[in-house]
Amino acid sequence: DNYRKRTQRELADERRYAALPIVRDLLPALDNLQRAIDAGENVADLSAMLQGVQMVTQQIAEVLTRHGASPIAALERPFDPNLHEAIQQMPSADHPPMTVIDEAERGYTLHDRVIRPSKVIVSVAPGEPTAD
């Protein structure tokens, strides 16, 4: 009975703290983002702040990659309803129909599972009615 209770308690703790590694890895990025905000309040040159925010974005992307999450490639690729969510259709003579021509929100997978599909704008043939 004690063994059963202990294993249940250990399993509950494992579930409760499962996100600990990713949270621990994201905290430095959050600290750097706060530093960028603080610097932006005192600096007239916004290019330095922009560079800092770009570095934090890269840092967060690296954390996600380290934990098995990766962005879904969308631009210039055929529309795939398993990976993309079409939010708009736009006539385009430069792209074949049903090609992703813009990405409004990047999608991500975790290993082989879609966490969030990419929200995309899909091409249609010129003159073809769009489903807005």
Side-chain angles (χ1 to χ4, degrees), residues 16-90:
R16 184 175 182 186
Y17 297 108
L20 183 64
I22 194 163
V23 171
R24 188 175 286 144
D25 287 347
L26 283 173
L27 289 176
L30 184 62
D31 293 339
N32 288 335
L33 194 54
Q34 186 60 51
R35 285 185 196 104
I37 291 169
D38 294 343
E41 293 172 349
N42 301 322
V43 175
D45 180 20
L46 293 180
S47 65
M49 188 175 115
L50 176 62
Q51 183 181 9
V53 172
Q54 289 170 333
M55 290 170 60
V56 172
T57 301
Q58 181 61 36
Q59 187 177 16
I60 292 171
E62 289 169 3
V63 168
L64 291 174
T65 300
R66 207 168 38 245
H67 288 276
S70 56
I72 295 172
L75 283 177
E76 306 292 326
R77 301 206 176 204
F79 175 76
D80 181 348
N82 298 311
L83 301 174
H84 310 131
E85 178 183 338
I87 59 171
Q88 185 178 356
Q89 292 179 327
M90 186 173 291

Side-chain angles (χ1 to χ4, degrees), residues 7-21:
T7 55
Q8 285 178 342
R9 187 173 47 249
E10 288 172 355
L11 188 58
D13 279 350
E14 188 176 316
R15 286 185 193 134
R16 184 175 182 186
Y17 297 108
L20 183 64

